[in-house]
Amino acid sequence: MKAIVGVDPLETYRHALRLLLRLRPEPLGLRFVHAVEPLHTFLPADPSSQVPYRAMLQEARKAGEAALGALKSEFEGQGLTCETALVDGFPSHMLIAEADRERAEWIAVGGGQKGALENLFLGSVSRGVLTGASQSVLVGKGETAGEGPVHAVFATDHSEYADACVQKLLNWKLEGLGRVRVVTALPRGMSEPETRSAVERKTVQVATQFREAGVEAEVSVQEGAPSQVLPEAMRSSGAELMILGAQGHGFLERLLIGSTSLQQVASAPYSVLVVRR
């Protein structure tokens, strides 16, 4: 499996990279991509400002080349298949283009969590990739452990697409996927005994698929809005990764409700893996 890793200057991509390596998809090929964003998007519009545009661009490219060279040496030394690419353009666009050209299955990026500047630029990259990519997307946030199994929450609405994403996830044979809590948020007003029983049966069926694949799994059906149920499931289970299926403006928007959906995925304090079939 090939994964495109978006290398940012603040190195938040390492949050996603650590999770990816701990999940251990086999075989794994890494392509580290650093996009040099057009500096005119940050510079004054007044040409008389005499900003040394060319010199700044050269410094940005030099820093990107150095970062990619260090990563190649680091991971080839660990016996991993590793490629690098320095490209010019807006990071989210270029990461998607690289993933399409390389027929990669995953795009891994860092998410802004530390401050306003990081949230502004890195947050926009993760949001751009989430909304524009046809590949599965791993957004790594915050400090993550360097080793050990990854405990996760898998969110499902039991749609046909979500069920297909379970199979996609299991087909990757993620040897490092540890305990999984399968969570369904039951909308308020739909908690009649018959409805709840049917949803619980479906949720148990999903958990059984994980168990048959050798992954410890538990079940949780909670009444409430997904934007409330899912963060609580992350907290109470001690999980560090939220996994969900999404097909652009389909399940992701339904799962996390309207205009707050993308903000929840891109800005939540935990890492997110969006599985696309």
Side-chain angles (χ1 to χ4, degrees):
M1 186 192 81
K2 177 169 280 190
I4 301 297
V5 180
V7 177
D8 62 271
L10 297 178
E11 295 194 351
T12 63
Y13 68 89
R14 288 193 177 270
H15 305 322
L17 182 57
R18 279 194 290 269
L19 281 170
L20 179 60
L21 295 176
R22 286 170 60 203
L23 286 168
R24 303 207 317 265
E26 296 290 345
L28 174 63
L30 298 171
R31 184 173 179 84
F32 294 104
V33 178
H34 179 79
V36 180
E37 188 162 356
L39 293 180
H40 62 75
T41 59
F42 308 116
L43 299 180
D46 181 5
S48 66
S49 60
Q50 299 298 315
V51 174
Y53 177 87
R54 182 171 298 180
M56 292 176 66
L57 190 61
Q58 289 176 343
E59 286 301 313
R61 291 183 62 85
K62 185 183 300 182
E65 289 172 350
L68 291 174
L71 283 167
K72 188 173 180 64
S73 298
E74 177 183 350
F75 287 95
E76 284 186 341
Q78 299 177 23
L80 291 170
T81 302
C82 175
E83 302 170 351
T84 63
L86 183 71
V87 296
D88 294 301
F90 294 103
S92 58
H93 297 169
M94 301 313 299
L95 292 174
I96 293 170
E98 283 286 316
D100 290 342
R101 181 168 51 253
E102 296 293 323
R103 297 183 179 180
E105 291 192 56
W106 286 31
I107 300 176
V109 294
Q113 284 297 310
K114 295 181 180 179
L117 183 64
E118 189 173 328
N119 277 310
L120 174 63
F121 294 109
L122 300 177
S124 65
V125 172
S126 61
R127 286 193 295 271
V129 172
L130 280 167
T131 55
S134 60
Q135 294 80 11
S136 297
V137 179
L138 176 61
V139 181
K141 307 172 196 176
E143 295 303 323
T144 56
E147 56 185 20
V150 176
H151 300 314
V153 163
F154 181 82
T156 178
D157 64 353
H158 303 295
S159 64
E160 181 179 349
Y161 193 90
D163 291 343
C165 287
V166 176
Q167 286 303 313
K168 180 80 169 183
L169 183 65
L170 295 176
N171 287 343
W172 282 327
K173 301 185 185 301
L174 303 177
E175 296 182 7
L177 182 61
R179 184 179 68 252
V180 172
R181 177 177 291 185
V182 182
V183 177
T184 302
L186 193 63
R188 298 189 188 280
M190 294 182 60
S191 56
E192 297 87 351
E194 289 186 1
T195 300
R196 187 179 185 91
S197 179
V199 171
E200 287 176 345
R201 284 197 303 272
K202 290 181 179 180
T203 309
V204 168
Q205 289 172 359
V206 174
T208 299
Q209 292 178 273
F210 280 102
R211 293 176 187 136
E212 290 175 346
V215 179
E216 180 184 347
E218 56 189 28
V219 169
S220 176
V221 177
Q222 298 293 327
E223 183 178 349
S227 56
Q228 298 172 328
V229 170
L230 299 183
E232 172 57 25
M234 291 291 294
R235 186 198 63 77
S236 61
S237 67
E240 58 184 318
L241 178 65
M242 168 70 69
I243 305 175
L244 48 85
Q247 49 178 339
H249 296 290
F251 174 60
L252 184 60
E253 277 63 28
R254 296 200 307 276
L255 176 69
L256 294 167
I257 303 179
S259 62
T260 63
S261 61
L262 203 54
Q263 179 182 7
Q264 168 70 18
V265 172
S267 302
Y270 42 77
S271 298
V272 179
L273 171 59
V274 174
V275 180
R276 291 199 169 99
R277 204 171 53 170

